[in-house]
Amino acid sequence: MENKTKDNYSFIPIDKAKTLTWIEEKYGEYKVSSNENNVENYYKFNNGDFIKTYKDTCEKGKKSRNGKILMCGRNADYHEFREKDMRLNNTPVEESDVSSPLISDLNFNHKVIGSDETGKGETFKYLIITAAYVNGADDVKRYIKSGVDDSKEILKAIPKIGEELTHIHNWDELLENLDEKKLFVTDCSVTKIITNEEYNERCYKNGENVNDVIKEAHLEVIREVYKRHPGSEIVVDDFYDKNEKFIDQFKKELSSNNSPADPGRVFMTVKADSKIMAVSLASVISSYICTLGCDYVQNILNNIYKKESEGEIPLPKGNPGLDNLSNFFSKLKPERKDEFIDKYSKKIFKNVQQVLNK
């Protein structure tokens, strides 16, 4: 029986024939039959890990997209699989986007700065933006072996990996290690922290656009890393949803002032955290620091804001619905509820506004 709780890594190969040949040569002895119609080949290992290669999808008799390849479980074979994936895909990541970076070339042959943010769409999480630096094949292999990947694929491993990367164990320790610009700096990264109180001040009270707040943070952390590693390629996870006008403006701003980056060497692409190691690294660090922030807010909630008659009140995850959010707010001390909302929720969010208006 497949272990659905295991971390997994999936991608859509450009050169599918070459990839399938390599998988068959490496894992052919583990091939078993599958009862899923859309699965082309199924390789199952003794420890419960597996590889599935999916059939191409077709529309009106024409192939519309290459089928994905999924590896479930993390072991020595997995690390070789992921490294091989990067090397084989030496073609544009997105076939329809000529400006997309080249996975293999960027990951293995260049200095790369990648940036990513987390907490954007979650009511109670802080907005955390990180830029991270990776220098070619040796760094890529080292981070692969340490488990760095798209943060959404390794949720259970993030606490361990994040602690190893940052050497930080809790929020108070993080605050003690901010530099004079209130940035958190490691050997490989720079992180900007926007608390929900600051978020509300800028977006709710001052009327700033959310994407502009995110943009300024990306520019700030990338510039700081670029000072240390000039001439690097730059890859940003696309927070503009492929809007070319805003992407071009971002590149121009990044190439001005004290960061003379060549706009032609700045890429913004969707799901960059699953393609480029530097963005994966930034994603993991942002997610880890965001978790520390959540733990901090949870402790504040437990000690100050909840009603004495209530037991433990977990912070709602994600962007909770109206009933869930209303129920949560009802458990707060009435005289301190507004204070909690101002400090620890994204007050501009529609769900928060609707509950407040009720």
Side-chain angles (χ1 to χ4, degrees), residues 149-163:
D149 198 346
D150 175 359
S151 61
K152 295 183 290 297
E153 301 286 357
I154 55 168
L155 294 177
K156 293 181 180 179
I158 283 178
K160 179 178 182 296
I161 300 172
E163 187 175 310

Side-chain angles (χ1 to χ4, degrees), residues 253-320:
E253 290 192 43
L254 186 57
S255 304
S256 60
N257 300 326
N258 297 323
S259 297
D262 179 354
R265 299 172 71 178
V266 178
F267 304 95
M268 187 175 283
T269 184
V270 296
K271 298 183 179 179
D273 48 352
S274 66
K275 304 167 184 175
I276 302 299
M277 177 55 74
V279 186
S280 297
L281 186 59
S283 171
V284 169
I285 293 173
S286 286
S287 295
Y288 176 64
I289 291 176
C290 194
T291 299
L292 296 183
C294 281
D295 293 342
Y296 167 77
V297 174
Q298 183 68 64
N299 288 334
I300 293 290
L301 172 63
N302 292 340
N303 294 327
I304 299 177
Y305 291 99
K306 69 180 179 67
K307 295 176 182 175
E308 287 77 359
S309 59
E310 299 289 347
E312 292 295 313
I313 306 175
L315 278 171
K317 296 180 180 180
N319 195 18

Side-chain angles (χ1 to χ4, degrees), residues 223-239:
R223 284 168 178 159
E224 288 297 316
V225 179
Y226 196 86
K227 289 177 186 177
R228 298 165 174 79
H229 306 286
S232 298
E233 311 287 331
I234 298 171
V235 183
V236 183
D237 196 55
D238 183 4
F239 57 91

Side-chain angles (χ1 to χ4, degrees), residues 2 9-13 15-28 30-45 49-57 65-72 81 85 88:
E2 297 168 10
Y9 174 67
S10 63
F11 73 104
I12 297 174
D15 191 340
K16 188 177 181 184
K18 185 184 294 186
T19 306
L20 291 182
T21 298
W22 176 79
I23 291 174
E24 178 65 23
E25 291 175 351
K26 174 71 177 179
Y27 304 111
Y30 299 103
K31 185 185 287 187
V32 296
S33 60
S34 172
N35 57 5
E36 298 178 62
N37 292 332
N38 61 336
V39 171
E40 192 162 9
N41 294 310
Y42 181 24
Y43 306 85
K44 190 170 184 179
F45 305 107
D49 296 347
F50 65 87
I51 297 174
K52 285 183 179 180
T53 66
Y54 290 83
K55 297 177 182 178
D56 296 334
T57 58
R65 195 176 189 189
N66 289 326
K68 73 175 181 179
I69 295 176
L70 168 67
M71 173 101 180
C72 179
F81 179 88
D85 159 31
L88 286 174

